[in-house]
Amino acid sequence: MVSLRMATIDDVKTIQELNNGLFEYEMNNEFDKYVKNWPLSDIGKDYFVDLIKNQFVIIAEIDKKVVGYLAGSIYDDATFSYYDGITAEMDNMFIKEEYRRFGIGSKFVNAFLVWAKNKNAKRIFAEQLQKCKVEYFDFYLCHAMNLEYHNLYK
């Protein structure tokens, strides 16, 4: 049975290791170029500590074992000076390969959408689509997310 919970500071090391797995996957598939082992560095640690304290990081567990995470942020739209509203972004997500197809990604997205709506976000960006130069992945298609954004006005 999959359970979700908000990450705590005690989860930082595990999240860093999972994020490093994401970096390795994307580099091996030539989706993007990263600084090798950045997630495991002090800068990577500080990044996740800040997200846990101030933004959104959720953990998936099966039998009390962490199998994935999703990290996201809210931007007051001074970041996007052309947009009058609040934007949320799913910054990064990784699920261990052997636990994919358990519906964890869907649970992550649904929890993130609830959080974003509670923060009054009006749209969601999914940066991974831009990195891979595609309009959708099957995962994002299932959640009606395209290259632009997911509209939260619904």
Side-chain angles (χ1 to χ4, degrees):
M1 175 71 121
V2 176
S3 62
L4 300 183
R5 64 174 174 81
M6 295 304 292
T8 68
I9 298 302
D10 292 338
D11 296 311
V12 169
K13 182 76 173 153
T14 301
I15 294 167
Q16 287 179 274
E17 291 167 358
L18 289 168
N19 188 249
N20 199 57
L22 174 63
F23 269 41
E24 289 175 0
Y25 174 82
E26 289 191 357
M27 287 188 295
N28 290 340
N29 289 286
E30 298 180 3
F31 291 141
D32 217 334
K33 295 181 181 176
Y34 295 104
V35 174
K36 189 172 180 157
N37 295 321
W38 178 90
L40 303 175
S41 71
D42 287 340
I43 296 169
K45 179 181 179 180
D46 292 344
Y47 167 77
F48 285 109
V49 167
D50 180 60
L51 284 175
I52 289 168
K53 287 182 176 179
N54 302 307
Q55 298 290 338
F56 179 89
V57 182
I58 195 164
I59 298 281
E61 293 180 319
I62 295 179
D63 297 326
K64 297 188 180 188
K65 178 181 176 185
V66 175
V67 299
Y69 80 98
L70 181 142
S73 304
I74 289 286
Y75 298 98
D76 68 7
D77 282 325
T79 307
F80 301 100
S81 60
Y82 56 86
Y83 181 71
D84 184 22
I86 296 173
T87 298
E89 181 166 358
M90 289 188 292
D91 297 318
N92 45 80
M93 174 176 70
F94 188 74
I95 301 165
K96 291 180 179 179
E97 189 168 354
E98 62 270 28
Y99 296 100
R100 296 177 191 161
R101 306 267 184 233
F102 281 69
I104 296 169
S106 295
K107 290 175 189 270
F108 279 159
V109 169
N110 291 333
F112 183 74
L113 290 174
V114 167
W115 177 79
K117 284 180 184 179
N118 287 337
K119 296 288 186 181
N120 297 314
K122 300 300 180 207
R123 61 187 190 162
I124 303 262
F125 278 110
E127 184 179 315
Q128 297 87 341
L129 298 171
Q130 291 171 329
K131 286 181 182 177
C132 297
K133 297 179 177 83
V134 297
E135 288 197 23
Y136 65 86
F137 297 129
D138 290 342
F139 172 79
Y140 292 103
L141 183 61
C142 290
H143 297 284
M145 293 183 173
N146 61 24
L147 187 56
E148 298 281 318
Y149 57 88
H150 181 78
N151 190 333
L152 289 178
Y153 288 110
K154 297 177 185 173

